[in-house]
């Protein structure tokens, strides 16, 4: 990595700059051997002593990313600030025509309490407005652009190779995440009371996903750029120092966060994408047009409900149905509370986290109900 820095003051204008580049190279290798059928000679720990043909495997991968970047920070009269960055990466794991991707960011802030208009407002000690726009790019792991063949068990004296289960994609391009934020920072009574409000929106596009394909294609999955995900959220922090003496200080902070993560679209012809496969049929999905993180019984059975109530079947037991939709794992809102107390050279802190909404899967509860040791919900 090589960087150059610049810093200068031009009257009321301060300028700080940085430009540079780096080369990151990753190399990975692995060799594994194990016996099959045990050792032919006890305590002779040599792979040649395997009773049957030993199990062997090896892997090698290399990746190189070359980057150039620049950053500049402008400040005017300690009131207005502008921070801008730009970066371009070239990744060896992307196709030659798409291996270059550019992303940038810009953020501004205005400390409005530095203006004379606020000089007589003794209760407002600090106020700042901020806004930012930023992008970040992401490449893919090794060997997902062109087909690579694996080595299988020899057939007699003839070596064998096999076609991978995942279909590579020579047209892959970098994924891009774009974030926009707006914020307000206020402090009152010399910082004894403070609040910070932040609104943001994140858009993920051209995500690199591994999607399931029909087995008739000769593959089980395919790698491609797909999907658009949008997350909007609001964060509020309120803090205060009700007690502040030379020896004793009590500081309290509470934060609140709510967000909505939507799946705007997936690949053409795809309405749902499996994110995680949990134990015994409960899966996590991204479903187009719904919130990210839907819990469903993928092909398995769940309790049939009418108006939220379970239904008894004709055999006297709970009626079941496949592909039950339970809802999302995303909470309605969450937050926390922190209390910091210090007395002379001693300090103690306490924290509480809270959350409303958001589903989760308890495997221990599932087995308890299955074995008759719990109460089914």
């Amino acid at each position: 990595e090589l960087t150059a820095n610049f810093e200068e003051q031009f009257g009321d204008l301060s300028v700080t700059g940085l430009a540079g580049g780096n080369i990151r190279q990753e190399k990975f290798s692995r060799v594994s051997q194990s016996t099959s059928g045990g050792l032919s000679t006890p305590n002779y720990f040599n792979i040649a002593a395997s009773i049957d043909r030993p199990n062997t495997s090896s892997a090698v991968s290399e990746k190189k990313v070359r980057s150039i970047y620049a950053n500049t920070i402008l400040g005017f009269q300690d009131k207005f600030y502008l921070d801008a960055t730009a970066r371009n990466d070239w990744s060896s794991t992307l196709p030659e025509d798409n291996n270059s991707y550019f992303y940038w960011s810009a953020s501004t802030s205005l400390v409005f309490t530095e203006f004379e208009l606020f000089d007589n407002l003794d209760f407002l000690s600090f106020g700042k407005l901020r806004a930012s726009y930023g992008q970040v790019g992401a490449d893919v792991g090794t060997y997902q652009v062109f087909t690579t063949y694996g080595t299988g068990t020899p057939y007699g004296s003839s070596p064998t190779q096999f076609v991978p289960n995942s279909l590579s994609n020579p047209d892959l391009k970098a994924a891009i995440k774009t974030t926009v934020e707006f914020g307000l920072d206020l402090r009152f009574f010399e910082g004894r009371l403070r609040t910070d409000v932040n609104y943001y929106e994140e858009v993920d596009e051209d995500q690199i996903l591994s999607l399931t394909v029909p087995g008739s294609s000769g593959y089980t999955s395919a790698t491609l750029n797909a999907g658009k995900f949008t997350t909007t959220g609001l964060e509020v922090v309120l803090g205060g120092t009700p007690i502040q003496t030379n020896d004793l200080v009590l500081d309290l902070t509470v934060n609140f966060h709510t967000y909505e993560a939507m799946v705007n679209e997936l690949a053409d012809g795809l309405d749902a994408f499996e994110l995680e496969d949990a134990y015994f049929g409960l899966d996590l999905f991204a479903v187009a047009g719904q919130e990210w993180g839907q819990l469903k019984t993928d092909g398995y059975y769940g309790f049939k409900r009418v108006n939220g109530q379970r239904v008894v079947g004709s055999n006297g037991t709970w009626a079941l149905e496949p592909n039950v939709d339970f809802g999302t794992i995303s909470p309605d809102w969450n937050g926390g509370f922190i209390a910091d107390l210090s007395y002379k050279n001693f300090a103690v802190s306490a924290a509480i986290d809270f959350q409303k909404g958001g589903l989760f899967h308890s495997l221990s509860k599932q087995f308890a109900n299955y074995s008759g040791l719990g109460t089914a919900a």
Side-chain angles (χ1 to χ4, degrees):
E1 184 174 47
L2 179 66
T3 60
N5 299 278
F6 175 82
E7 185 174 354
E8 191 60 70
Q9 186 78 32
F10 302 96
D12 292 334
L13 179 66
S14 63
V15 181
T16 301
L18 179 148
N22 71 279
I23 298 176
R24 187 179 81 249
Q25 187 163 338
E26 304 172 9
K27 294 184 178 181
F28 169 82
S29 63
R30 172 182 57 82
V31 176
S32 175
Q33 296 180 326
S34 63
T35 64
S36 179
L39 294 169
S40 60
T41 303
N43 297 322
Y44 179 54
F45 299 104
N46 190 306
I47 198 65
S50 175
I51 292 178
D52 298 317
R53 186 182 183 93
N55 304 306
T56 63
S57 66
S58 63
V60 177
S61 67
E62 292 189 41
K63 176 181 179 179
K64 182 180 290 186
V65 179
R66 298 175 179 175
S67 308
I68 57 173
Y69 47 84
N71 167 245
T72 183
I73 302 175
L74 304 178
F76 182 72
Q77 294 183 344
D78 296 328
K79 299 175 183 177
F80 177 78
Y81 295 91
L82 172 64
D83 188 339
T85 67
R87 183 182 181 105
N88 200 100
D89 292 339
W90 290 265
S91 175
S92 66
T93 61
L94 291 170
E96 184 176 359
D97 293 339
N98 294 332
N99 66 2
S100 173
Y101 50 101
F102 174 81
Y103 47 99
W104 63 281
S105 69
S107 62
T108 62
S109 61
L110 176 65
V111 183
F112 56 83
T113 46
E114 291 294 322
F115 291 98
E116 295 181 1
L117 177 65
F118 296 89
D119 287 346
N120 297 325
L121 296 180
D122 296 334
F123 68 94
L124 180 61
S125 52
F126 180 82
K128 180 172 72 173
L129 288 168
R130 62 181 183 271
S132 65
Y133 174 95
Q135 291 182 324
V136 62
D139 58 5
V140 69
T142 56
Y143 312 127
Q144 299 190 44
V145 174
F146 303 109
T147 301
T148 56
Y149 299 93
T151 300
T153 303
Y155 184 76
S157 60
S158 301
T160 63
Q161 289 188 312
F162 59 87
V163 177
N165 291 325
S166 180
L167 178 63
S168 56
N169 187 346
D171 297 319
L172 280 179
K173 57 183 178 180
I176 297 293
K177 172 183 282 191
T178 303
T179 303
V180 178
E181 293 190 18
F182 300 95
L184 174 65
D185 185 356
L186 297 175
R187 303 173 196 176
F188 305 91
F189 310 112
E190 301 299 326
R192 295 285 295 271
L193 179 64
R194 55 195 180 274
T195 183
D196 195 311
V197 180
N198 188 61
Y199 171 83
Y200 65 91
E201 179 180 86
E202 294 181 352
V203 180
D204 292 272
E205 296 181 282
D206 293 326
Q207 294 300 293
I208 300 175
L209 304 177
S210 179
L211 302 181
T212 301
V213 297
S216 58
S217 66
Y219 299 89
T220 59
S221 62
T223 303
L224 70 159
N225 294 103
K228 180 180 178 181
F229 308 89
T230 302
T231 302
T232 56
L234 177 67
E235 299 173 319
V236 180
V237 178
L238 179 64
T241 309
I243 302 176
Q244 185 173 7
T245 67
N246 292 333
D247 297 329
L248 181 65
V249 177
L250 174 63
D251 191 84
L252 306 174
T253 303
V254 61
N255 67 81
F256 170 85
H257 177 214
T258 181
Y259 70 95
E260 182 181 61
M262 292 297 298
V263 181
N264 303 103
E265 61 185 49
L266 294 169
D268 291 340
L270 184 67
D271 296 325
F273 172 66
E274 184 182 80
L275 301 169
E276 294 288 345
D277 185 3
Y279 207 44
F280 283 137
L282 187 65
D283 296 342
L284 186 66
F285 284 89
V287 181
Q290 298 186 25
E291 275 196 89
W292 181 93
Q294 298 290 324
L295 282 176
K296 298 176 180 288
T297 56
D298 181 22
Y300 290 81
Y301 290 88
F303 291 125
K304 182 177 182 179
R305 297 176 184 266
V306 176
N307 297 325
Q309 301 296 319
R310 282 185 292 182
V311 178
V312 177
S314 57
N315 59 358
T317 62
W318 296 119
L320 303 177
E321 63 179 348
N323 303 321
V324 176
D325 188 352
F326 293 103
T328 178
I329 63 172
S330 300
D332 298 329
W333 48 262
N334 54 29
F337 173 78
I338 301 175
D340 295 303
L341 178 66
S342 63
Y343 177 73
K344 293 185 176 180
N345 295 326
F346 298 92
V348 61
S349 297
I352 298 175
D353 293 329
F354 47 83
Q355 174 177 306
K356 178 183 181 298
L359 301 175
F360 68 94
H361 174 51
S362 172
L363 190 60
S364 57
K365 182 178 180 180
Q366 175 179 314
F367 275 113
N369 293 336
Y370 169 78
S371 61
L373 300 178
T375 302

